[in-house]
Amino acid sequence: MLKRLFTFFLLLALLTGAASLWWLNQPMPLKLPAGSQSLDLEIEPGTRANAAASAVVTSGADVSALLLRSWFRLSGDARQIKAGSYEIAQGTTPRRLLRMLVNGEESLQNITLVEGWNFTQLRAALLKAESLKPHSQNLSQEAIMEKIGRPGVFPEGRFFPDTYSYAKGSSDIALLKRAAQAMDKRAAAAWALRKPDTPLKSVDQLIVLASIVEKETGKPSDRAEIAGVFTNRLRIGMLLQTDPTVIYGLGTTFDGNLRKHHLQTDNPYNTYTRGGLPPTPIAMPGRASLLAAAQPAQTKAIYFVARGDGSSQFSANLEEHNRAVNKFIRGQ
C-alpha cells in the first residue's frame, strides 16, 4: 500500500513538474487592443511580486494571476523585479516575462533632435513625442534650465542634436538633461581640439559660433570654410553680418522675408549693427559644426555667397565678392 502511494505521489509530482515546465514555456494568450501588436505593462516603483503578477493580468494577458505569483516566488527572483514601462509582445512566455522584468528590459521609444533646431522647435517636438511625459510643458525656460541643473543658463543651443531612446512614460525633463549633458561633452571635446590661434575665448563662444555655422551651411563640405570666414572676421574685428542671427533676433515677428530695414534695426542679435558674436547660440549645433568652429579651414576668404545649389562661393576681398553676388544672386 505504501509503495503504491509513493508511486502515485511520485507520478503526480512528475506530472505537475512536466505541466509546470510546459506552462512556463507556452506563449501567454493576449487580449490585444485593436490595431496593437503588444500590451503595455507599467510596474510602479515598490511593486511586489504579487502586485506585478496582477498588473500583468490587468494589462490584458489571459493567464492565471495565481500561477504567475507562484512562478515569480518559486523562481527566487521575485524581489529582483524592476519598475518600468514594458511591452508584452505576442509569443511572450511566463519564463520570458520574468526575465524581462528582472533585467529591466523596458520598452523604448526614440526621438530625434535635429541639427539647427532652436529651443522652440525642440519643445514642440517633445510635446509630440509618443509616451513621453510632458513635465516641461507649463514651465518657463528658466524653470526648465533649473530643473536640469543649469540655473541661469539660456537654453538656446545647450542641447545636443541626436537620436535619443527613452522608456515609455519617462519624463521629458530627464531627456533634456541627457541632451544637455551630451552637449557639454561634445562641446568640451571640440574645445580641446581648438586651434591655438582661435579668437574664441571660451567653450560658450565655441557653441555660439558653431550654431551660426550650423545655420549658414547648405553643403556639408563647405562647413569648415564657412567657419574659417567667420573666424577671420572675428580676428580682424569685422562685422559678422550673418542673416540667421538677425532672423533669430526677430523671433516670432519674422514672416520669412528678410528686408533691408531688418538689417538696419539694432538688437543684440543683429550682427550687421553689432560687432563680435551674438550673446547666445541661435540653434543646436551638431558635432560637425562644433568641430568646424574649433578647427576652421585655413582660408583667406572673408566673404561668401550662396550659389543656389546649396554650396557657397568664397571670396578674399570685396571686389571678388561683388562679382560673385552679381553672378549668383543677380544673374548678371
Side-chain angles (χ1 to χ4, degrees), residues 90-315:
Q90 289 179 316
T92 300
T93 66
R95 186 187 296 276
R96 170 64 187 139
L97 172 67
L98 180 59
R99 186 162 62 250
M100 182 171 66
L101 298 179
V102 169
N103 292 338
E105 298 174 21
E106 295 185 72
S107 58
L108 300 177
Q109 298 283 356
N110 293 321
I111 183 172
T112 298
L113 309 184
V114 179
E115 296 171 351
W117 273 0
N118 60 35
F119 190 59
T120 299
Q121 292 170 307
L122 167 57
R123 294 192 71 175
L126 293 178
L127 281 177
K128 294 178 183 177
E130 186 178 354
S131 303
L132 186 64
K133 290 182 179 178
H135 289 159
S136 71
Q137 182 175 4
N138 297 319
L139 297 179
S140 67
Q141 292 184 352
E142 294 78 10
I144 290 173
M145 297 306 286
E146 188 169 345
K147 285 279 189 182
I148 67 170
R150 305 288 199 287
V153 176
F154 191 68
E156 200 66 77
R158 298 296 174 170
F159 303 92
F160 187 71
D162 203 350
T163 297
Y164 295 89
S165 296
Y166 60 90
K168 287 184 176 181
S170 59
S171 171
D172 60 354
I173 295 291
L175 193 145
L176 283 171
K177 188 172 184 178
R178 288 168 54 201
Q181 290 171 341
M183 179 57 82
D184 289 345
K185 182 178 179 180
R186 293 291 190 180
W191 182 245
L193 298 174
R194 66 191 183 280
K195 290 189 174 181
D197 62 345
T198 178
L200 303 176
K201 305 301 182 185
S202 66
V203 68
D204 286 348
Q205 288 192 351
L206 174 78
I207 297 173
V208 174
L209 178 56
S211 73
I212 296 172
V213 172
E214 191 69 66
K215 297 299 290 184
E216 283 281 17
T217 301
K219 189 176 182 181
S221 59
D222 287 342
R223 188 176 276 111
E225 191 84 4
I226 289 172
V229 168
F230 290 128
T231 298
N232 286 343
R233 288 189 171 198
L234 288 171
R235 188 175 285 120
I236 64 177
M238 182 178 175
L239 293 175
L240 294 185
Q241 295 185 318
T242 170
D243 292 354
T245 64
V246 179
I247 292 170
Y248 182 82
L250 293 172
T252 57
T253 65
F254 181 61
D255 62 3
N257 187 11
L258 191 64
R259 300 173 178 85
K260 185 176 181 180
H261 73 86
H262 291 143
L263 306 181
Q264 296 172 337
T265 302
D266 183 57
N267 70 64
Y269 290 89
N270 190 337
T271 50
Y272 285 81
T273 62
R274 298 198 183 193
L277 293 165
T280 74
I282 59 172
M284 296 190 297
R287 181 175 181 270
S289 291
L290 289 167
L291 288 174
Q295 298 183 321
Q298 291 285 1
T299 178
K300 294 182 178 180
I302 53 174
Y303 298 97
F304 66 94
V305 64
R307 288 190 176 123
D309 61 357
S311 65
S312 298
Q313 178 69 36
F314 298 89
S315 304

Side-chain angles (χ1 to χ4, degrees), residues 11-26:
L11 288 172
L12 182 61
L14 290 172
L15 288 172
T16 301
S20 298
L21 186 61
W22 175 86
W23 177 81
L24 286 175
N25 293 285
Q26 282 296 111

